């Protein structure tokens, strides 16, 4: 958890979930050149699932906080548990901040994702029964009739209106640099490519959804096959295209590579991580095998003046470099 502490008359932001990949740049002081100096960043650790612990750590600065950036997530065994855990965390933080007299809290920025339009795709039971919206996904689509912790968080924020305003940002697939991001597709691929390179294995492409286009919130279009080839160049591994006649279980293969990853960490003096804690091949495999084009409309954002653009494929090398600088991968 992070707070930015300028003088008492300026906005003060609390970023909840600062160790995740979404906040890698949000929490980087070098990216805030437009803000008046000095910009001070202080890190706070607390258990947002426990209200007493949350209040204990936030009470001393609650009267300063004006804005919250919510990028925290708890991943549980099913969506009902996700709803309970994530709602509890957000409500505990809001209550702790509003306990200040007076409270300056005025706006909360909530990051969710396109699961809003697809339903709980990782739920072990519901995930096999979902009927999703037809892409391209756009913001005014009605909610689906399934439990979804994104819905619960939006409802929680709405319940505090008009005393608080809020905005919701539904991101697509996120890539970034973090050692604590369970759903980091790039880190999962980096570990997979690193193990292939270390053991002299081909970097097999497991996607049967040949060359489907994905319109991500960067504003560009790419295919997973192109993404794969960029990773091959970066990691100097052989690209092996998908073969419909050959059954290849890359998820099962990765589950057996924990000890190999331990060897790599030891050999290259990397930041000590357990492979099972930093990658999620099952989640990435589910994304790779969507039976529909994962296309998100950016029209509303552009109508509101957001014209930002990033080249996803060109950004991969930068993020891999960041992971290397952090000594997460060799």
């Amino acid at each position: 958890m992070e707070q930015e502490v300028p003088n008492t008359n300026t906005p003060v932001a609390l970023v909840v979930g600062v160790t995740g990949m979404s906040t890698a740049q949000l929490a980087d002081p070098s990216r805030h050149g437009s803000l008046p100096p000095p910009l001070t960043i202080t890190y706070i650790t607390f258990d947002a699932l426990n209200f007493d612990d949350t209040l204990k750590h936030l009470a001393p600065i609650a009267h300063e906080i004006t804005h919250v950036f919510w990028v925290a997530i708890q991943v549980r065994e099913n969506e009902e548990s996700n709803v309970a855990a994530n709602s509890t965390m957000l409500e505990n933080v809001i209550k702790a901040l509003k306990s200040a007299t007076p409270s300056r809290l005025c706006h909360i920025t909530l990051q969710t994702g396109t699961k809003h339009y697809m339903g709980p795709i990782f739920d072990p039971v519901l995930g096999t029964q979902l009927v999703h919206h037809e892409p391209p996904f756009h913001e005014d689509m009605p909610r689906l009739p399934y439990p979804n912790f994104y819905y619960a968080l939006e409802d929680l924020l709405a319940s505090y209106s008009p005393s608080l305003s809020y905005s919701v940002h539904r991101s697509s697939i996120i890539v970034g640099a973090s050692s604590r991001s369970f759903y980091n597709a790039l880190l999962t691929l980096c570990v997979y490519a690193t193990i292939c390179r270390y053991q002299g294995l081909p970097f097999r492409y497991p996607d049967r959804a040949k060359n489907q286009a994905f319109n991500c919130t960067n504003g560009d279009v790419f295919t997973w096959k192109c993404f794969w080839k960029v990773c091959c160049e970066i990691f100097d591994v052989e690209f092996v295209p998908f073969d419909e006649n050959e059954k290849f279980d890359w998820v099962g293969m990765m589950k057996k590579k924990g000890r190999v990853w331990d060897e790599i960490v030891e050999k290259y003096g990397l930041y000590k991580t357990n492979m099972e804690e930093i990658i999620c091949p099952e989640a990435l495999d589910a994304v790779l095998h969507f039976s529909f084009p994962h296309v998100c409309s950016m029209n509303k954002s552009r109508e509101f003046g957001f014209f930002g653009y990033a080249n996803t494929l060109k950004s991969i090398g930068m993020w891999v470099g960041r992971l290397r600088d952090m000594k997460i991968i060799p």
Side-chain angles (χ1 to χ4, degrees):
M1 314 302 177
E2 173 197 292
Q3 59 163 340
E4 299 178 359
V5 188
N7 66 60
T8 57
N9 295 319
T10 58
V12 179
L14 177 73
V15 182
V16 186
V18 73
T19 57
M21 59 183 165
S22 300
T23 49
Q25 296 194 49
L26 178 63
D28 184 351
S30 67
R31 291 184 54 85
H32 298 285
S34 61
L35 295 179
L39 179 66
T40 302
I41 293 181
T42 302
Y43 292 90
I44 305 170
T45 301
F46 61 91
D47 180 4
L49 286 168
N50 183 305
F51 177 72
D52 291 337
D53 192 63
T54 301
L55 183 63
K56 174 185 174 182
H57 288 90
L58 293 186
I61 49 94
H63 64 286
E64 299 180 54
I65 303 299
T66 59
H67 294 72
V68 170
F69 291 87
W70 188 268
V71 287
I73 182 174
Q74 279 275 338
V75 179
R76 297 300 176 88
E77 64 276 8
N78 56 53
E79 194 63 16
E80 292 285 4
S81 298
N82 286 339
V83 169
N86 288 276
S87 299
T88 296
M89 291 195 301
L90 179 56
E91 186 158 29
N92 283 345
V93 170
I94 294 176
K95 284 183 176 179
L97 295 179
K98 289 185 72 67
S99 68
T101 306
S103 171
R104 298 179 65 208
L105 183 62
C106 62
H107 187 85
I108 297 179
T109 298
L110 170 67
Q111 177 187 283
T112 59
T114 52
K115 198 172 64 151
H116 184 99
Y117 311 111
M118 297 184 291
I121 58 175
F122 301 125
D123 185 284
V125 176
L126 293 175
T128 64
Q129 306 170 358
L130 300 176
V131 178
H132 59 78
H133 284 298
E134 288 299 316
F137 302 135
H138 51 86
E139 294 87 344
D140 60 355
M141 286 177 164
R143 291 182 175 182
L144 297 171
Y146 313 107
N148 193 321
F149 81 86
Y150 291 165
Y151 301 166
L153 297 185
E154 289 191 21
D155 290 344
L156 179 58
L157 293 183
S159 72
Y160 281 92
S161 178
S163 64
L164 287 178
S165 65
Y166 64 93
S167 58
V168 180
H169 303 264
R170 298 170 186 160
S171 62
S172 184
I173 299 162
I174 301 175
V175 296
S178 171
S179 64
R180 300 184 62 181
S181 301
F182 190 63
Y183 288 146
N184 189 338
L186 178 61
L187 182 53
T188 297
L189 284 178
C190 286
V191 172
Y192 174 34
T194 298
I195 289 174
C196 288
R197 169 75 173 169
Y198 183 74
Q199 294 195 305
L201 302 173
F203 187 49
R204 291 185 181 272
Y205 175 62
D207 188 9
R208 64 174 177 265
K210 301 175 181 176
N211 290 335
Q212 287 202 26
F214 292 75
N215 186 2
C216 63
T217 48
N218 277 348
D220 65 346
V221 179
F222 70 92
T223 66
W224 281 115
K225 189 172 184 179
C226 292
F227 197 105
W228 221 263
K229 289 183 175 180
V230 170
C231 289
C232 286
E233 293 175 5
I234 293 173
F235 289 94
D236 190 24
V237 288
E238 177 188 359
F239 175 80
V240 178
F242 175 71
D243 185 349
E244 295 181 356
N245 298 315
E246 182 179 357
K247 186 176 181 180
F248 172 57
D249 180 12
W250 79 284
V251 174
M253 184 199 81
M254 287 298 291
K255 285 185 175 181
K256 301 175 182 177
K257 299 297 184 180
R259 290 186 179 179
V260 176
W261 181 249
D262 291 342
E263 291 178 13
I264 293 171
V265 169
E266 180 70 23
K267 178 177 179 178
Y268 293 99
L270 303 178
Y271 177 75
K272 188 171 178 57
T273 56
N274 294 320
M275 190 187 74
E276 297 79 6
E277 296 177 356
I278 62 172
I279 70 169
C280 187
E282 295 92 345
L284 177 57
D285 195 61
V287 172
L288 289 173
H289 295 114
F290 283 154
S291 60
F292 54 90
H294 190 201
V295 181
C296 307
S297 170
M298 287 290 289
N299 289 343
K300 182 177 180 180
S301 293
R302 293 188 177 110
E303 288 170 356
F304 276 75
F306 180 80
F307 300 106
Y309 166 85
N311 186 313
T312 300
L313 297 181
K314 284 187 177 180
S315 74
I316 299 306
M318 181 271 289
W319 285 118
V320 170
R322 186 75 64 87
L323 287 167
R324 286 170 169 164
D325 291 342
M326 295 168 67
K327 302 291 284 183
I328 297 172
I329 60 173

